[in-house]
Amino acid sequence: MKNQAPNFNPPGNGQSLALGVWCLVFGCFLLVFAPTTAQEIKGGRGENYTILKYHPPPDNTKVQYELSGKKAESLTNGLPGRIALTQLRIVQFNDKAGRLLIEAPTCIYDENAKEASSPGRLQIESGTNQLSLSGEGFLYRNSARTLIISNAVQAIVRLNTNSAPATTNTAPWRITSRWFEFDHTNNHAIFHDAVKGEDAAMKFDCDTLSVLAGTNSRSMNMIEASGNVHFFVKTNDFKLSADHCIYRKGEDSIVLSGNVAWSRGRMSGRADRVTAYQVSRKNSHNIDAEGHVKMKVPREELQAAGGFLSGTNKPTAAKAKPANSELIDVAADRATFISNNVVLVGSVQLSHKTNTLSCDLIEAPRTPAGAPGKTAVATGHVVLWRNEGRVMAERAAYSSSDGQIVFTGEPRWQAPNLEGSAEQLIANTFTNSLFAQNNVVVRYTLEPGSKSLFDFFPNESAPVATTNAPVTIEIKSRTFSAKASDREGIFSGGVRAQQIPADGAQPRLASDSLTLKLTPGGAKSRAESYRAQGNVVIEQGIPGVTNGAATYRRMNADTFTARMLTNGTALDNLVADGNVHLAFNDTIAHGVRATFTSTNQLFVLTGNPTTMTNSQMEVYDAQKLVLDKGHESFRAEGPAKMRVKTEGFKLEGLQPNLQLPTLPKK
């Protein structure tokens, strides 16, 4: 049997002991086993005795305690020493605390050592009905001011609430343990070893248990459990385990620390510390978890925060919570679920399959009555992963009414074949689409061997296919939208597109809008087609340069549509419509429509009038002008007129198919 209480650290916001009842128990032993006890037994023996002790003046007419028994016998011939007591019964009277009753079939009191002990049963009952305590074998030590019950301890404890003291109508805790200790000096009352407890709402087991008093209170309203603590709330199937916990009856709260684990319904988790509120309420999920929080939470329990992860969370007609909804993995430094308000703080991460959100803070408040939908906000180093793509920003706000996530604070996004940035990015989880606006920059990385999208002029540079380097196209605009199922990127407002790295001579495009479509293939995507509209300008080379790789070439049109070969290595066909203007070397051509086909390498300019000028001649009112890229020559087909600029050039007449001179070599 242990003789000393273990080290005990009471909570800082309350007293360490329910002093009222426990102090009465100890005080009763102290008064009964006083130095005068042996002197009350005349001749060293007594039978059917009753000893009364009165309060000091001015209450000296009131009995303080009554000691009675069947037999008392001095084991030291009436001299101070050991006394054997049979059928001991002690009653202490207290106007405020009521009557306290202590009963023991046998007891040995050692007057010299100031100790009382017995291998038999001890029964203690308080008049306030707060405490009933019994066990087999006890030891009272006056010098150490301790009372120990050594075996088979059973207790009934009624905890006070904040509003009323415990009464016979208060549901009691029934507690059992191997042994019990009350240390009056340190005000500790502790149940030890194999402790179990249960009341109408919950049950628990632990290694040690203390019954405590609240702040400025001498009545019992808390219990503190330590070592292998397991709590189970009957009303809502709430299960908790920890190294240490404090349960407050009045607040209906429980604080757990050290290796905390819990589950309630389909929610479960682990943390360093957890405070649960309204734990006995059937539908309560009020939890505040701190330190290395790891949880599995049904999507609906996260309020709108679960919407960050789903690409298909369009609301359905059903209002009931699904019994098999997705479980979201939650990690944070702190997680609070209070009154349907969700707050996650510090190193936050939500995960489900291939979708992950990380940030510094998530706030998902309870939806006000009449609100169109739920909202959630993530802030600080926000990173949202979906499949192989991710979005990074300082803030993300989700609304369940439209399924949109609005990213602000320098949002950036990446996918296997593109990356982008803007002042604002909106991801629609209903349609799996993106919309970016203001200072949009998007870069597409095409598979090695792909041809530049804007490189189709005569004397164009060598194809990229001669290297293993991928082709990167950078596009700037005011807005950008894309839908995964369409494989299209749509740009509008001051569109500027170019191949990078840029050296000033790189192929480039400007227009009011641009639609770029990629072939399927993720990281191995190629450009399939693009369409530019409004003030389209396609350039290559450096303005003013007429020779070499940087020779300037330019085409203008109202609209421009191009399609690449299926392997992406070259242009297949193109159509330019409206106010077509073509300039390269010293040649300038105008028309209404221009087409190109890779099968014959012919660039055909039509419209009335169609004109072409260079340093040698001017062709005008032509029905058709044909640029043969393969032979690097121009010709007019159909009726046409021509003026000769070069001295000595002779024109015999106009023919239906007029062959123009070969263009000068660079």
Side-chain angles (χ1 to χ4, degrees):
M1 179 180 67
K2 299 179 181 179
N3 293 326
Q4 292 184 345
N7 186 27
F8 180 84
N9 295 314
N13 64 344
Q15 292 175 262
S16 64
L17 177 65
L19 297 176
V21 175
W22 301 116
C23 288
L24 281 177
V25 173
F26 183 84
C28 192
F29 274 90
L30 182 64
L31 289 170
V32 170
F33 299 113
T36 60
T37 302
Q39 299 174 14
E40 300 286 348
I41 304 173
K42 305 299 182 181
R45 180 183 297 271
E47 294 184 0
N48 299 318
Y49 58 88
T50 298
I51 300 174
L52 300 179
K53 188 171 183 64
Y54 294 87
H55 286 278
D59 297 323
N60 52 312
T61 61
K62 294 182 179 180
V63 176
Q64 187 174 7
Y65 74 85
E66 176 185 292
L67 169 65
S68 62
K70 183 176 181 181
K71 183 179 180 181
E73 182 178 0
S74 172
L75 302 181
T76 54
N77 298 319
L79 298 176
R82 302 172 69 212
I83 304 170
L85 304 173
T86 305
Q87 300 299 322
L88 175 66
R89 188 174 187 272
I90 305 170
V91 182
Q92 181 167 3
F93 302 94
N94 187 293
D95 292 339
K96 294 182 179 179
R99 191 184 71 162
L100 178 68
L101 174 63
I102 301 175
E103 294 180 317
T106 62
C107 174
I108 301 296
Y109 176 66
D110 188 328
E111 187 177 11
N112 294 326
K114 303 297 186 294
E115 293 182 356
S117 63
S118 172
R121 184 171 181 78
L122 176 68
Q123 181 75 37
I124 301 173
E125 299 282 349
S126 73
T128 59
N129 297 309
Q130 276 196 281
L131 174 68
S132 174
L133 179 66
S134 65
E136 298 295 329
F138 71 89
L139 171 63
Y140 161 76
R141 288 178 172 172
N142 183 63
S143 59
R145 302 177 73 81
T146 60
L147 170 64
I148 294 174
I149 302 176
S150 55
N151 290 288
V153 177
Q154 298 186 47
I156 297 177
V157 178
R158 286 183 168 86
L159 300 182
N160 289 348
T161 65
N162 290 339
S163 58
T167 67
T168 54
N169 295 323
T170 304
W173 280 97
R174 299 183 181 274
I175 303 171
T176 62
S177 68
R178 193 181 71 80
W179 66 285
F180 168 84
E181 177 183 20
F182 175 59
D183 181 349
H184 186 270
T185 302
N186 297 308
N187 291 331
H188 294 174
I190 307 174
F191 297 85
H192 290 274
D193 294 349
V195 182
K196 296 182 182 297
E198 184 172 3
D199 73 353
M202 61 186 72
K203 60 182 179 180
F204 67 88
D205 58 78
C206 59
D207 292 342
T208 61
L209 176 74
S210 299
V211 181
L212 312 174
T215 305
N216 300 322
S217 172
R218 295 175 62 87
S219 61
M220 296 177 291
N221 57 20
M222 292 187 290
I223 58 174
E224 179 170 13
S226 299
N228 299 304
V229 180
H230 297 87
F231 257 83
F232 175 68
V233 183
K234 303 174 185 178
T235 52
N236 53 28
D237 198 31
F238 194 6
K239 301 174 183 177
L240 308 102
S241 63
D243 295 336
H244 178 270
C245 84
I246 295 178
Y247 171 69
R248 291 177 171 85
K249 177 72 172 180
E251 300 173 3
D252 195 20
S253 68
I254 187 169
V255 180
L256 304 101
S257 58
N259 300 308
V260 182
W262 75 96
S263 66
R264 176 182 282 173
R266 299 176 63 235
M267 178 191 289
S268 62
R270 291 184 172 274
D272 295 340
R273 176 184 170 91
V274 169
T275 302
Y277 302 94
Q278 299 174 331
V279 294
S280 62
R281 291 193 181 182
K282 184 174 182 179
N283 297 318
S284 174
H285 290 77
N286 295 326
I287 291 177
D288 185 1
E290 299 178 75
H292 305 95
V293 180
K294 304 286 185 183
M295 300 177 64
K296 286 188 178 295
V297 183
R299 181 183 295 276
E300 64 274 10
E301 297 293 343
L302 286 169
Q303 299 298 318
F308 283 118
L309 299 186
S310 175
T312 57
N313 29 313
K314 192 170 183 178
T316 61
K319 295 182 179 180
K321 295 180 180 179
N324 58 347
S325 62
E326 299 164 335
L327 288 177
I328 307 298
D329 290 311
V330 178
D333 293 337
R334 184 173 185 179
T336 303
F337 295 74
I338 304 293
S339 300
N340 293 322
N341 293 293
V342 178
V343 179
L344 306 174
V345 182
S347 303
V348 179
Q349 182 169 295
L350 306 181
S351 301
H352 178 256
K353 296 182 178 179
T354 59
N355 298 339
T356 301
L357 171 69
S358 62
C359 60
D360 296 338
L361 172 67
I362 290 179
E363 296 174 288
R366 179 177 57 183
T367 306
K374 299 179 179 180
T375 61
V377 177
T379 54
H381 305 93
V382 178
V383 180
L384 176 61
W385 285 93
R386 285 195 172 178
N387 299 318
E388 296 179 313
R390 64 173 177 169
V391 179
M392 297 155 285
E394 284 302 306
R395 186 179 190 274
Y398 171 76
S399 172
S400 66
S401 61
D402 55 16
Q404 290 187 350
I405 305 174
V406 180
F407 297 90
T408 53
E410 300 182 355
R412 305 163 316 278
W413 62 95
Q414 295 177 343
N417 65 332
L418 69 88
E419 61 181 32
S421 62
E423 291 183 13
Q424 183 184 76
L425 175 68
I426 301 174
N428 192 308
T429 63
F430 293 171
T431 60
N432 201 16
S433 61
L434 294 176
F435 176 77
Q437 60 184 354
N438 299 330
N439 296 316
V440 176
V441 180
V442 177
R443 293 183 177 181
Y444 290 91
T445 301
L446 307 180
E447 185 180 5
S450 298
K451 188 75 169 179
S452 172
L453 301 184
F454 318 121
D455 191 1
F456 57 86
F457 288 102
N459 299 322
E460 57 198 0
S461 58
V464 180
T466 58
T467 70
N468 292 322
V471 173
T472 301
I473 303 299
E474 179 184 79
I475 304 174
K476 298 180 179 181
S477 64
R478 188 162 51 250
T479 68
F480 163 75
S481 61
K483 190 174 182 180
S485 59
D486 296 338
R487 296 181 284 110
E488 286 186 346
I490 301 174
F491 302 83
S492 64
V495 178
R496 299 292 184 270
Q498 64 179 352
Q499 181 177 327
I500 58 173
D503 58 5
Q506 75 282 354
R508 52 201 182 270
L509 174 148
S511 62
D512 294 338
S513 68
L514 173 66
T515 300
L516 175 63
K517 189 168 186 176
L518 304 179
T519 61
K524 295 184 178 181
S525 292
R526 299 176 182 272
E528 181 177 294
S529 64
Y530 68 92
R531 177 178 176 84
Q533 294 179 286
N535 301 305
V536 181
V537 178
I538 298 178
E539 298 175 284
Q540 185 174 335
I542 299 175
V545 177
T546 58
N547 292 290
T551 298
Y552 183 66
R553 309 167 185 90
R554 173 186 175 119
M555 184 170 68
N556 297 54
D558 293 339
T559 65
F560 189 92
T561 304
R563 180 174 291 276
M564 307 296 290
L565 293 173
T566 55
N567 62 8
T569 57
L571 184 70
D572 184 21
N573 61 78
L574 67 83
V575 176
D577 274 314
N579 299 308
V580 179
H581 176 92
L582 180 66
F584 61 95
N585 295 334
D586 65 344
T587 300
I588 298 175
H590 299 272
V592 176
R593 181 181 175 88
T595 61
F596 171 78
T597 305
S598 62
T599 55
N600 55 20
Q601 292 289 299
L602 296 180
F603 190 97
V604 179
L605 187 65
T606 58
N608 190 13
T610 298
T611 63
M612 186 278 292
T613 63
N614 61 20
S615 59
Q616 294 181 333
M617 68 188 71
E618 177 182 357
V619 178
Y620 59 98
D621 292 340
Q623 180 179 340
K624 182 187 297 185
L625 289 173
V626 179
L627 167 62
D628 188 338
K629 289 184 65 179
H631 297 88
E632 298 185 359
S633 62
F634 254 124
R635 69 174 183 268
E637 294 182 356
K641 298 178 181 180
M642 181 178 69
R643 295 188 183 94
V644 178
K645 296 181 180 180
T646 303
E647 184 178 356
F649 183 86
K650 296 180 179 181
L651 178 65
E652 299 298 333
L654 295 176
Q655 300 297 328
N657 292 288
L658 179 64
Q659 182 68 45
L660 299 180
T662 301
L663 297 175
K665 297 288 184 179
K666 293 187 291 182

